[in-house]
Amino acid sequence: MPMKLFKCDETIPEREKHIYIKEKGEDTTQFLPSAHVETIPGSLSERGCSYCGAKLVIGGVLKDTIQLIHGPVGCAYDTWHTKRYPSDNGNFQLKYVWSSDMKEQHVVFGGEKLLKKAMLEAFAEFPDIKRMMVYTTCSTALIGDDIKPVVKEVEKELGDVDIFTVECPGFAGVSQSKGHHVFNMGWMTDKVGTYEPEITSPYTINVIGDYNIQGDTFVMEKYMEKMGIQIIAHFTGNGTYDSLRGMHRAQLNVTNCARSAGYIANELKKKYGIPRIDVDTWGFDYAKEGLRKIGAFFGIEDRAEAVIAEEVAKYESKLEWYKERLTGKKVCIWTGGPRLWHWTKALEDDLGMHVVAMSSKFGHQEDFEKVIARGEEGTIYIDDGNELEFFEVLEMVKPDLVLTGPRVGALVKKLHLPYVNGHGYHNGPYMGFEGAVNMARDMYNAIYSPLMKLAQSDIRGQQKLPSTNGNGNGKATKELSEQVVSLVQQQVKEATAQVKQPAKETAPQVQKPAKEAAPQVQAQAKETAPQVQKQVKETAPQVQAKEVAPQVQKPAKETAPQVQVQAKEIASYIQERAAEVTKLIQERCLWQFHSRAWDREENINGVLNMAAQILTGEKVVLETLIDRGFYADAKILSADLEIRFAWLNSMENSQKKAVLESVKAMLIDIVITKSKNGELHYSLY
């Protein structure tokens, strides 16, 4: 069952292109949902607009900048933050909202004078703030207001201010992703390189694609401070306007949300030679990997390990407590784009959960490539899902929990299913080691809530209709009220008992199939063991390259057929091992999935060539920052391969290189040559 048409979409059959169910042996060269295209008429979309993507997600997070929206006041209010993006300066960006407040007369006669007046008033009201961003909206773009000349007038008149224009009205793209792109490219063109930051450490990075949701940035800052690394700029969590102008002075770009900020990471790499390392900062195991990558890049692995040891000591036992109670639980991830592939393996590997359905509101095919590579068989993938599809999926997979935003969360709660806010979090931060525990705690609380269990029971069907007291106001009699109260109390006791002892209830179910299957497994093992041993004895000598050599010394006529057979078997063995490595890389390594074909090929060749040198003990030469970027990813990959694949340690160096060369060819074939991602060869990049 590759592409899927839901029953609710029978009147809009085009939706089949946007829904995919993964089956065994399939990859993204065969099936890839359509994404980042216009919403099909008749389908209720949950997407945000392009202006929202620029202002709400990226620009509005800055803590020292006036965010002036040129348009009706509703566009300003709709993107005014609540608790998602805090800052360490008293949350200036959360307290105020600025708008030119266009009215009908300005739509008719033009709003440029109104804009200038609003800009001057804003600077006058906040004399200590010297930085501003001005955004167009649908209304001002439709009437053709030219905001850049107005901005230049204000800058000239005031003298000591700096203003950035974001011309991305809501209708400019199919989703908020267009706003991400416009902001990234505009900032790179107009502002990067116009400010020189003070350098206080020999190790400098930009943190790109992190917006400090409930303090995520503070977690990363803590880790970097302990490692002695200076963060030049946060794009844009707890960030400042001028720090973003100095992004060109960093040695490394650590990219978190590639969907919203991968564009500027690519441009910094092309223009300034700053390498990009993509990290999964959510998840316990991935947090370790991210810190080790950064440490390897700068050659300060010991500092990274010290931070990891300290954090693991604090939080590992807590995570294990939740893992015991969350293992086997089914979860849907219905968020934006990146959290699908950031959270999938983290929830499955760290907590033993099963991600059974995923939906992206503004992800591109690049995002679906990542998440399909990481997802399990049978998982449902949906682009731009609508309400009816969500309801149908819930009936199909019957999840224990949904990670989504408040809008879809409200729908989920109507079905008495728990949800955790995947956009603004319930009780964050969710990043790093402590974040993994926080997220596990919120999921546990949601799944095992007695109130949620109680809500699933409809007591109306268990009682007669209430009688009235004769005055027509529908009040229940005292006797019936007491019955209802008693029933509710009983249900609360039952639900609470289930919460306290979830393990005891589930253990017998788990043990029963194991006991039933044990005799069958033992019988099969006895039957197959001699066959397996025989095959091993027969094939092992043929696989070992060292044992082939003596046979070659025999007369050519006698040994030639044997040598050919053995060569084929060795080649087959190499291909099988390469397939194992490729599968692991597909599931865990983000460097293979960068946005453009040239970048993907450069990374695949660079990282795997470096990994081959590390695994064979060759001297590694790091001449450029780009080389160091490849090395950081390669060192983590090499260590992972040696831990997971025992056969690697018994191989000769020539065989190790052969395996990685085959891996290289397989990856290029999957993510470039046969990729169905239409954006890989986008001409603007």
PDB file of all heavy atoms in Angstrom, residues 62 64-65 130-131 162 187 191 194-197 232-233 239-247:
ATOM      1  N   LEU A  62      13.549  37.991  18.158  1.00  0.00           N
ATOM      2  CA  LEU A  62      14.657  38.832  18.613  1.00  0.00           C
ATOM      3  C   LEU A  62      14.243  39.688  19.806  1.00  0.00           C
ATOM      4  O   LEU A  62      13.142  40.246  19.841  1.00  0.00           O
ATOM      5  CB  LEU A  62      15.147  39.728  17.479  1.00  0.00           C
ATOM      6  CG  LEU A  62      15.829  39.005  16.312  1.00  0.00           C
ATOM      7  CD1 LEU A  62      16.158  39.983  15.198  1.00  0.00           C
ATOM      8  CD2 LEU A  62      17.084  38.290  16.785  1.00  0.00           C
ATOM      9  N   ASP A  64      15.624  42.542  21.086  1.00  0.00           N
ATOM     10  CA  ASP A  64      15.977  43.969  21.179  1.00  0.00           C
ATOM     11  C   ASP A  64      15.521  44.754  19.963  1.00  0.00           C
ATOM     12  O   ASP A  64      16.127  45.755  19.599  1.00  0.00           O
ATOM     13  CB  ASP A  64      17.493  44.114  21.343  1.00  0.00           C
ATOM     14  CG  ASP A  64      18.258  43.677  20.101  1.00  0.00           C
ATOM     15  OD1 ASP A  64      17.681  42.949  19.257  1.00  0.00           O
ATOM     16  OD2 ASP A  64      19.432  44.073  19.959  1.00  0.00           O
ATOM     17  N   THR A  65      14.438  44.307  19.320  1.00  0.00           N
ATOM     18  CA  THR A  65      14.052  44.860  18.028  1.00  0.00           C
ATOM     19  C   THR A  65      12.567  45.189  17.995  1.00  0.00           C
ATOM     20  O   THR A  65      11.742  44.385  18.446  1.00  0.00           O
ATOM     21  CB  THR A  65      14.383  43.855  16.903  1.00  0.00           C
ATOM     22  OG1 THR A  65      15.760  43.494  16.982  1.00  0.00           O
ATOM     23  CG2 THR A  65      14.099  44.446  15.537  1.00  0.00           C
ATOM     24  N   LYS A 130      17.162  50.805  19.013  1.00  0.00           N
ATOM     25  CA  LYS A 130      17.641  51.423  17.780  1.00  0.00           C
ATOM     26  C   LYS A 130      17.537  50.499  16.578  1.00  0.00           C
ATOM     27  O   LYS A 130      18.108  50.786  15.525  1.00  0.00           O
ATOM     28  CB  LYS A 130      19.098  51.860  17.948  1.00  0.00           C
ATOM     29  CG  LYS A 130      19.330  52.825  19.105  1.00  0.00           C
ATOM     30  CD  LYS A 130      18.600  54.145  18.886  1.00  0.00           C
ATOM     31  CE  LYS A 130      18.881  55.128  20.021  1.00  0.00           C
ATOM     32  NZ  LYS A 130      18.140  56.407  19.841  1.00  0.00           N
ATOM     33  N   ARG A 131      16.861  49.387  16.732  1.00  0.00           N
ATOM     34  CA  ARG A 131      16.751  48.419  15.648  1.00  0.00           C
ATOM     35  C   ARG A 131      15.281  48.098  15.385  1.00  0.00           C
ATOM     36  O   ARG A 131      14.483  47.998  16.311  1.00  0.00           O
ATOM     37  CB  ARG A 131      17.510  47.136  16.001  1.00  0.00           C
ATOM     38  CG  ARG A 131      18.995  47.367  16.317  1.00  0.00           C
ATOM     39  CD  ARG A 131      19.767  47.817  15.099  1.00  0.00           C
ATOM     40  NE  ARG A 131      21.176  48.042  15.360  1.00  0.00           N
ATOM     41  CZ  ARG A 131      21.729  49.248  15.521  1.00  0.00           C
ATOM     42  NH1 ARG A 131      20.978  50.343  15.451  1.00  0.00           N
ATOM     43  NH2 ARG A 131      23.028  49.377  15.720  1.00  0.00           N
ATOM     44  N   ASP A 162      18.967  51.239  12.635  1.00  0.00           N
ATOM     45  CA  ASP A 162      19.160  50.283  11.544  1.00  0.00           C
ATOM     46  C   ASP A 162      17.866  49.512  11.368  1.00  0.00           C
ATOM     47  O   ASP A 162      17.300  49.000  12.347  1.00  0.00           O
ATOM     48  CB  ASP A 162      20.314  49.327  11.853  1.00  0.00           C
ATOM     49  CG  ASP A 162      20.806  48.606  10.610  1.00  0.00           C
ATOM     50  OD1 ASP A 162      20.077  47.743  10.105  1.00  0.00           O
ATOM     51  OD2 ASP A 162      21.923  48.910  10.140  1.00  0.00           O
ATOM     52  N   TRP A 187      18.114  38.574   4.862  1.00  0.00           N
ATOM     53  CA  TRP A 187      19.085  38.909   5.903  1.00  0.00           C
ATOM     54  C   TRP A 187      20.508  38.641   5.420  1.00  0.00           C
ATOM     55  O   TRP A 187      21.423  39.420   5.674  1.00  0.00           O
ATOM     56  CB  TRP A 187      18.790  38.112   7.167  1.00  0.00           C
ATOM     57  CG  TRP A 187      19.626  38.587   8.329  1.00  0.00           C
ATOM     58  CD1 TRP A 187      20.812  38.080   8.753  1.00  0.00           C
ATOM     59  CD2 TRP A 187      19.338  39.709   9.167  1.00  0.00           C
ATOM     60  NE1 TRP A 187      21.286  38.808   9.813  1.00  0.00           N
ATOM     61  CE2 TRP A 187      20.397  39.813  10.090  1.00  0.00           C
ATOM     62  CE3 TRP A 187      18.285  40.619   9.233  1.00  0.00           C
ATOM     63  CZ2 TRP A 187      20.437  40.806  11.067  1.00  0.00           C
ATOM     64  CZ3 TRP A 187      18.311  41.601  10.208  1.00  0.00           C
ATOM     65  CH2 TRP A 187      19.381  41.694  11.111  1.00  0.00           C
ATOM     66  N   LYS A 191      22.244  42.187   5.491  1.00  0.00           N
ATOM     67  CA  LYS A 191      22.747  42.502   6.828  1.00  0.00           C
ATOM     68  C   LYS A 191      23.993  41.729   7.268  1.00  0.00           C
ATOM     69  O   LYS A 191      24.804  42.264   8.026  1.00  0.00           O
ATOM     70  CB  LYS A 191      21.634  42.271   7.859  1.00  0.00           C
ATOM     71  CG  LYS A 191      20.423  43.170   7.664  1.00  0.00           C
ATOM     72  CD  LYS A 191      20.793  44.649   7.754  1.00  0.00           C
ATOM     73  CE  LYS A 191      19.580  45.553   7.521  1.00  0.00           C
ATOM     74  NZ  LYS A 191      19.957  46.989   7.561  1.00  0.00           N
ATOM     75  N   THR A 194      27.789  43.245   8.102  1.00  0.00           N
ATOM     76  CA  THR A 194      27.760  44.693   8.336  1.00  0.00           C
ATOM     77  C   THR A 194      28.071  45.051   9.782  1.00  0.00           C
ATOM     78  O   THR A 194      27.940  46.213  10.172  1.00  0.00           O
ATOM     79  CB  THR A 194      26.379  45.272   7.962  1.00  0.00           C
ATOM     80  OG1 THR A 194      25.376  44.671   8.795  1.00  0.00           O
ATOM     81  CG2 THR A 194      26.049  44.995   6.499  1.00  0.00           C
ATOM     82  N   TYR A 195      28.489  44.080  10.578  1.00  0.00           N
ATOM     83  CA  TYR A 195      28.798  44.320  11.981  1.00  0.00           C
ATOM     84  C   TYR A 195      29.912  43.365  12.401  1.00  0.00           C
ATOM     85  O   TYR A 195      29.916  42.191  12.014  1.00  0.00           O
ATOM     86  CB  TYR A 195      27.553  44.087  12.845  1.00  0.00           C
ATOM     87  CG  TYR A 195      27.765  44.272  14.329  1.00  0.00           C
ATOM     88  CD1 TYR A 195      27.739  45.544  14.891  1.00  0.00           C
ATOM     89  CD2 TYR A 195      27.974  43.175  15.161  1.00  0.00           C
ATOM     90  CE1 TYR A 195      27.926  45.715  16.266  1.00  0.00           C
ATOM     91  CE2 TYR A 195      28.158  43.339  16.528  1.00  0.00           C
ATOM     92  CZ  TYR A 195      28.140  44.613  17.073  1.00  0.00           C
ATOM     93  OH  TYR A 195      28.335  44.780  18.426  1.00  0.00           O
ATOM     94  N   GLU A 196      30.863  43.869  13.182  1.00  0.00           N
ATOM     95  CA  GLU A 196      31.970  43.046  13.650  1.00  0.00           C
ATOM     96  C   GLU A 196      31.787  42.732  15.137  1.00  0.00           C
ATOM     97  O   GLU A 196      31.891  43.620  15.985  1.00  0.00           O
ATOM     98  CB  GLU A 196      33.305  43.747  13.435  1.00  0.00           C
ATOM     99  CG  GLU A 196      33.712  43.861  11.970  1.00  0.00           C
ATOM    100  CD  GLU A 196      33.881  42.497  11.312  1.00  0.00           C
ATOM    101  OE1 GLU A 196      34.341  41.555  11.995  1.00  0.00           O
ATOM    102  OE2 GLU A 196      33.535  42.358  10.122  1.00  0.00           O
ATOM    103  N   PRO A 197      31.506  41.472  15.472  1.00  0.00           N
ATOM    104  CA  PRO A 197      31.292  41.100  16.873  1.00  0.00           C
ATOM    105  C   PRO A 197      32.610  41.006  17.639  1.00  0.00           C
ATOM    106  O   PRO A 197      33.679  40.820  17.045  1.00  0.00           O
ATOM    107  CB  PRO A 197      30.637  39.725  16.769  1.00  0.00           C
ATOM    108  CG  PRO A 197      31.199  39.161  15.496  1.00  0.00           C
ATOM    109  CD  PRO A 197      31.357  40.332  14.559  1.00  0.00           C
ATOM    110  N   ILE A 232      28.316  33.236  18.604  1.00  0.00           N
ATOM    111  CA  ILE A 232      28.297  34.551  17.953  1.00  0.00           C
ATOM    112  C   ILE A 232      26.864  35.037  17.793  1.00  0.00           C
ATOM    113  O   ILE A 232      26.523  36.179  18.103  1.00  0.00           O
ATOM    114  CB  ILE A 232      28.984  34.495  16.576  1.00  0.00           C
ATOM    115  CG1 ILE A 232      30.467  34.137  16.733  1.00  0.00           C
ATOM    116  CG2 ILE A 232      28.829  35.820  15.832  1.00  0.00           C
ATOM    117  CD1 ILE A 232      31.317  35.190  17.393  1.00  0.00           C
ATOM    118  N   ALA A 233      26.005  34.165  17.280  1.00  0.00           N
ATOM    119  CA  ALA A 233      24.622  34.570  17.023  1.00  0.00           C
ATOM    120  C   ALA A 233      23.676  33.405  17.226  1.00  0.00           C
ATOM    121  O   ALA A 233      24.005  32.252  16.918  1.00  0.00           O
ATOM    122  CB  ALA A 233      24.486  35.100  15.599  1.00  0.00           C
ATOM    123  N   GLY A 239      18.085  36.045  20.657  1.00  0.00           N
ATOM    124  CA  GLY A 239      19.100  36.703  19.834  1.00  0.00           C
ATOM    125  C   GLY A 239      18.927  38.199  19.770  1.00  0.00           C
ATOM    126  O   GLY A 239      17.899  38.762  20.146  1.00  0.00           O
ATOM    127  N   THR A 240      19.972  38.860  19.271  1.00  0.00           N
ATOM    128  CA  THR A 240      19.944  40.311  19.068  1.00  0.00           C
ATOM    129  C   THR A 240      20.155  40.628  17.595  1.00  0.00           C
ATOM    130  O   THR A 240      20.765  39.849  16.846  1.00  0.00           O
ATOM    131  CB  THR A 240      21.030  41.014  19.891  1.00  0.00           C
ATOM    132  OG1 THR A 240      22.325  40.609  19.420  1.00  0.00           O
ATOM    133  CG2 THR A 240      20.894  40.684  21.369  1.00  0.00           C
ATOM    134  N   TYR A 241      19.679  41.757  17.209  1.00  0.00           N
ATOM    135  CA  TYR A 241      19.752  42.219  15.818  1.00  0.00           C
ATOM    136  C   TYR A 241      21.200  42.290  15.345  1.00  0.00           C
ATOM    137  O   TYR A 241      21.556  41.749  14.296  1.00  0.00           O
ATOM    138  CB  TYR A 241      19.073  43.584  15.753  1.00  0.00           C
ATOM    139  CG  TYR A 241      18.897  44.193  14.384  1.00  0.00           C
ATOM    140  CD1 TYR A 241      17.663  44.137  13.742  1.00  0.00           C
ATOM    141  CD2 TYR A 241      19.934  44.881  13.746  1.00  0.00           C
ATOM    142  CE1 TYR A 241      17.476  44.734  12.505  1.00  0.00           C
ATOM    143  CE2 TYR A 241      19.752  45.473  12.516  1.00  0.00           C
ATOM    144  CZ  TYR A 241      18.527  45.400  11.895  1.00  0.00           C
ATOM    145  OH  TYR A 241      18.344  45.994  10.661  1.00  0.00           O
ATOM    146  N   ASP A 242      22.062  42.934  16.131  1.00  0.00           N
ATOM    147  CA  ASP A 242      23.444  43.124  15.688  1.00  0.00           C
ATOM    148  C   ASP A 242      24.240  41.829  15.688  1.00  0.00           C
ATOM    149  O   ASP A 242      25.146  41.647  14.862  1.00  0.00           O
ATOM    150  CB  ASP A 242      24.148  44.170  16.556  1.00  0.00           C
ATOM    151  CG  ASP A 242      23.704  45.589  16.229  1.00  0.00           C
ATOM    152  OD1 ASP A 242      23.094  45.787  15.157  1.00  0.00           O
ATOM    153  OD2 ASP A 242      23.960  46.502  17.043  1.00  0.00           O
ATOM    154  N   SER A 243      23.948  40.916  16.614  1.00  0.00           N
ATOM    155  CA  SER A 243      24.681  39.645  16.612  1.00  0.00           C
ATOM    156  C   SER A 243      24.429  38.885  15.316  1.00  0.00           C
ATOM    157  O   SER A 243      25.334  38.228  14.781  1.00  0.00           O
ATOM    158  CB  SER A 243      24.281  38.797  17.821  1.00  0.00           C
ATOM    159  OG  SER A 243      22.952  38.331  17.712  1.00  0.00           O
ATOM    160  N   LEU A 244      23.221  38.997  14.768  1.00  0.00           N
ATOM    161  CA  LEU A 244      22.921  38.331  13.504  1.00  0.00           C
ATOM    162  C   LEU A 244      23.662  38.979  12.339  1.00  0.00           C
ATOM    163  O   LEU A 244      23.931  38.322  11.326  1.00  0.00           O
ATOM    164  CB  LEU A 244      21.415  38.349  13.229  1.00  0.00           C
ATOM    165  CG  LEU A 244      20.511  37.574  14.192  1.00  0.00           C
ATOM    166  CD1 LEU A 244      19.079  37.595  13.703  1.00  0.00           C
ATOM    167  CD2 LEU A 244      20.985  36.152  14.361  1.00  0.00           C
ATOM    168  N   ARG A 245      23.995  40.246  12.479  1.00  0.00           N
ATOM    169  CA  ARG A 245      24.781  40.910  11.432  1.00  0.00           C
ATOM    170  C   ARG A 245      26.227  40.412  11.436  1.00  0.00           C
ATOM    171  O   ARG A 245      26.937  40.536  10.433  1.00  0.00           O
ATOM    172  CB  ARG A 245      24.760  42.423  11.642  1.00  0.00           C
ATOM    173  CG  ARG A 245      23.379  43.050  11.470  1.00  0.00           C
ATOM    174  CD  ARG A 245      23.336  44.454  12.057  1.00  0.00           C
ATOM    175  NE  ARG A 245      24.198  45.369  11.341  1.00  0.00           N
ATOM    176  CZ  ARG A 245      24.589  46.570  11.800  1.00  0.00           C
ATOM    177  NH1 ARG A 245      24.184  46.964  13.005  1.00  0.00           N
ATOM    178  NH2 ARG A 245      25.364  47.337  11.081  1.00  0.00           N
ATOM    179  N   GLY A 246      26.657  39.828  12.551  1.00  0.00           N
ATOM    180  CA  GLY A 246      28.037  39.355  12.659  1.00  0.00           C
ATOM    181  C   GLY A 246      28.196  37.856  12.475  1.00  0.00           C
ATOM    182  O   GLY A 246      29.229  37.285  12.858  1.00  0.00           O
ATOM    183  N   MET A 247      27.220  37.201  11.860  1.00  0.00           N
ATOM    184  CA  MET A 247      27.255  35.744  11.716  1.00  0.00           C
ATOM    185  C   MET A 247      28.445  35.267  10.889  1.00  0.00           C
ATOM    186  O   MET A 247      28.873  34.109  11.005  1.00  0.00           O
ATOM    187  CB  MET A 247      25.949  35.246  11.080  1.00  0.00           C
ATOM    188  CG  MET A 247      24.710  35.454  11.929  1.00  0.00           C
ATOM    189  SD  MET A 247      23.190  34.879  11.120  1.00  0.00           S
ATOM    190  CE  MET A 247      23.351  33.117  11.300  1.00  0.00           C
TER     191      MET A 247
END
